[in-house]
Structure formats: structure tokens, C-alpha cells
Amino acid sequence: AAVAWEPDQPVVIEEIEVAPPQASEVRIKIVATSVCHSDLYHLLQSMHKDGFPTVLGHEGAGIVESVGSGVTEFQPGQSNLFSVQS
């Protein structure tokens, strides 16, 4: 993941581990993503310390790894385009 630890500083490529999904959550293995204008604005122009650290690239393509209880519209192994919300 491209991790921004603070505003207007270089990002660091790090491996992150995501916990199994809780109820109504989906865990996705992201296979492709890019940094968009809102990511760059947050990193380079907003200068607010709120929201850091952050993983850049919230729009991507991936494969559903697992789903939490109550999730019916996604199944493990399904691939799709996703917009990740924190």
C-alpha cells in the first residue's frame, strides 16, 4: 500500500494486514489501483493532520477474499471495481 504518514511528505510503500471482516463488511484483495486528484489534494494541499496516516488509492479493482455475516450481495472469489470508504 502507498501510505502517507503526514501531509506534504513522500509516501512509503508498505505491506499491510487487514483483519477479517465483521458483520456487514467485505474484505477485498486489491489487485490494481491508482492515486486520484482527491488523494493528491489531501496529501499535498489540504495540510490538515486529520486523516493521517492514510492509504492512498481508494478506487480500485480487486477480488473479494471474505465476507462478514449478513453480506449477501458479494461472494468470495468475485472480482469487481470497488470504491473503498473508511
Side-chain angles (χ1 to χ4, degrees):
V3 180
W5 286 95
E6 55 187 299
D8 203 26
Q9 294 297 314
V11 298
V12 180
I13 303 301
E14 297 186 18
E15 190 166 322
I16 60 173
E17 186 173 325
V18 179
Q22 301 296 310
S24 302
E25 294 181 339
V26 177
R27 181 168 58 180
I28 301 163
K29 179 179 182 176
I30 299 296
V31 295
T33 190
S34 63
V35 176
C36 73
H37 72 282
S38 59
D39 291 319
L40 293 177
Y41 176 81
H42 181 65
L43 177 64
L44 301 175
Q45 295 179 358
S46 73
M47 298 303 172
H48 293 286
K49 295 253 181 200
D50 296 342
F52 287 91
T54 189
V55 174
L56 302 177
H58 62 274
E59 298 170 354
I63 299 169
V64 176
E65 284 193 329
S66 53
V67 298
S69 62
V71 174
T72 59
E73 60 269 18
F74 296 103
Q75 300 296 321
Q78 179 181 356
S79 60
N80 209 331
L81 297 175
F82 299 96
S83 180
V84 178
Q85 299 183 9
S86 54

